[in-house]
Amino acid sequence: MIQAKAYAAQSATTPLGPWSFDRREPGEHDVVIDILYCGVCHSDIHQVRDEWGGSIYPMVPGHEIVGRITRVGSHVKDFKVGDLAGIGCFVDSCRVCESCRDGLEQYCETFLSGTYNGYEQDRKTPTYGGYSTQITVDEKYTLKVSPQLPLQGVAPLLCAGITTWSPLREWKVGKGHKLGVLGLGGLGHMAVKLGVALGAEVTMLSSSPRKKRTPKNSAPTNSPLRRTQMR
C-alpha cells in the first residue's frame, strides 16, 4: 500500500486536519500521481459539512487535481512516468451501461465512483480526494495535462472549467453571439473568460453593487465584456 498524507474532516462539525491513510498499489491499468495542486470547489464545503446528506467520514475532499505521474501499471498505454495529469469529479464507472459505452461515463446508469465521498466499484472501499499527497487512478479516468500550462490555473478547469465549457460548446457560442453570465463566482468567472476567448459579447450580471466599478486590472476597453448590475 502507498501511505498518503491528507487533510480530512472526521465529522460534519470538525475542521479539516492532518490525516494519514493508504492508497492502493497501482494495478495493471492504474497510474500513481503525486498531487501538485488541488482546487477548492464550493461542493467540497457542502460535502464536508454534510449539507447534501450521506457524507462518508473520514472525508478527504478535492476533485480538481493536477500532478505528476510517478508510477504506471504494466498495461498502461497512454501515460508514462513524469507526465503531468489531471483528475476531475469521478475516478471510475461501471463501463458497461449505455452511457459508459457512449463515452458519457459521467451519466453512468449503474454506479459512478466519485473522486471523494464515494466508493470504488466494489461499493465498499471509500474514495479519497485531492487534499492529499498522492492518488491512484485507472488511466481511463485520467486526463493529460500540457507542460506548457500553469498548473495552478489548470486545476479549476477540471470542475468549474468543464462545467461552463460544456454548454458553451454545446450551443456553439462564438463570434457574433451575446452571452449572459449570472454571477461572477467560481463558475461565472470561468464562463466570462471562456466566452470572451471564444469571441462572444459577454455581459456579466451581478447583484452586488461593489462589482459595478471596473477595477484597474479588469478587461481592457476593447474587450467584448460588459458589466450589468441586477436590480
Side-chain angles (χ1 to χ4, degrees):
M1 302 296 283
I2 301 170
Q3 188 173 57
K5 296 181 179 180
Y7 281 96
Q10 301 297 325
S11 73
T13 58
T14 56
L16 295 178
W19 187 59
S20 295
F21 67 102
D22 290 331
R23 295 282 194 192
R24 70 174 184 270
E25 291 288 333
E28 293 180 340
H29 300 282
D30 288 336
V31 298
V32 178
I33 301 171
D34 272 2
I35 297 173
L36 301 175
Y37 294 96
C38 182
V40 177
C41 180
H42 202 275
S43 61
D44 296 342
I45 300 170
H46 288 307
Q47 302 269 41
V48 164
R49 296 298 169 229
D50 196 24
E51 293 173 349
W52 292 344
S55 291
I56 305 163
Y57 300 99
M59 185 191 303
V60 178
H63 56 255
E64 300 176 342
I65 302 167
V66 176
R68 192 176 301 277
I69 293 177
T70 57
R71 296 171 62 183
V72 297
S74 58
H75 290 178
V76 169
K77 298 179 180 178
D78 295 329
F79 295 92
K80 64 182 184 302
V81 171
D83 284 350
L84 296 172
I87 303 295
C89 299
F90 61 97
V91 291
D92 212 339
S93 63
C94 80
R95 312 189 192 200
V96 296
C97 71
E98 184 176 353
S99 293
C100 286
R101 294 197 306 271
D102 286 344
L104 297 172
E105 292 90 345
Q106 68 270 28
Y107 297 125
C108 179
E109 301 154 30
T110 304
F111 189 75
L112 188 76
S113 295
T115 302
Y116 73 90
N117 195 35
Y119 292 98
E120 301 281 0
Q121 287 298 295
D122 62 8
R123 306 196 184 197
K124 62 182 181 181
T125 304
T127 55
Y128 300 116
Y131 293 13
S132 56
T133 51
Q134 293 95 14
I135 190 168
T136 304
V137 186
D138 188 292
E139 69 167 330
K140 291 185 179 295
Y141 299 80
T142 305
L143 303 170
K144 290 187 175 181
V145 174
S146 169
Q148 306 300 319
L149 299 175
L151 299 186
Q152 68 274 25
V154 170
L157 296 177
L158 296 165
C159 179
I162 190 60
T163 301
T164 49
W165 176 255
S166 180
L168 289 174
R169 298 310 293 159
E170 174 70 20
W171 292 99
K172 298 179 174 58
V173 172
K175 190 174 181 180
H177 291 130
K178 294 183 178 181
L179 173 67
V181 178
L182 181 59
L184 194 65
L187 295 178
H189 89 284
M190 287 286 185
V192 168
K193 289 182 176 181
L194 293 171
V196 170
L198 290 169
E201 179 184 318
V202 181
T203 300
M204 198 282 290
L205 306 169
S206 175
S207 60
S208 175
R210 65 183 175 83
K211 294 177 183 176
K212 185 176 181 180
R213 186 176 60 186
T214 303
K216 293 181 180 179
N217 61 348
S218 66
T221 55
N222 62 349
S223 172
L225 170 61
R226 298 186 299 149
R227 292 167 179 80
T228 301
Q229 179 184 345
M230 293 183 64
R231 298 184 183 278

